[in-house]
Amino acid sequence: MVRPDEETPGQFGVWDGAVHGWRARHLPDQLTAAETAVELEIQYDAHGPRPADAIRSYDEPKRVRRAQWYEGELDTWIREGGVWYGRVREADGQVRLVSEKDLRLIVDES
């Protein structure tokens, strides 16, 4: 979870509710903190480091569409509870984990 950093006003951190502690602090803005939170989610699940077979990454991000109104770039998949989630960077720079059910690959027709 992204939270304001209690030690440094105007900066942000990533709070891990599973361990009841900070995973990252002193981040310059909310966008950087959100990206850090997603990166940590890719690396770890509730039990520790994710197994290698639960992560798939692309060397070059793939363009994807979500719910017709959304576009972004997909670069990594993680499996959680039998469902694959993709790390997608939106046009505004926001990074999110999105269920495989909500993503469609954009095929370049040029």
Side-chain angles (χ1 to χ4, degrees):
M1 173 189 304
V2 173
R3 290 184 172 180
D5 191 319
E6 298 166 346
E7 290 181 0
T8 312
Q11 293 190 344
F12 294 84
V14 178
W15 178 264
D16 187 336
V19 298
H20 301 290
W22 293 100
R23 297 288 261 166
R25 298 190 80 168
H26 312 295
L27 301 170
D29 53 52
Q30 203 164 4
L31 187 63
T32 301
E35 186 169 352
T36 301
V38 170
E39 184 63 36
L40 289 166
E41 189 69 34
I42 287 170
Q43 294 176 31
Y44 303 98
D45 64 17
H47 307 289
R50 284 190 189 279
D53 66 351
I55 303 170
R56 297 178 186 167
S57 293
Y58 295 112
D59 291 332
E60 292 285 326
K62 308 292 183 190
R63 289 184 58 221
V64 292
R65 179 171 289 123
R66 178 181 173 195
Q68 298 294 329
W69 49 266
Y70 168 88
E71 285 190 19
E73 290 187 334
L74 166 73
D75 67 355
T76 300
W77 289 102
I78 62 170
R79 188 175 60 216
E80 180 76 36
V83 177
W84 284 96
Y85 292 87
R87 176 173 57 184
V88 178
R89 180 180 305 278
E90 298 175 5
D92 65 0
Q94 187 73 264
V95 177
R96 301 181 191 282
L97 291 174
V98 180
S99 169
E100 65 182 325
K101 299 173 204 170
D102 293 333
L103 294 176
R104 302 292 178 267
L105 187 63
I106 296 174
V107 178
D108 187 12
E109 297 179 12
S110 55

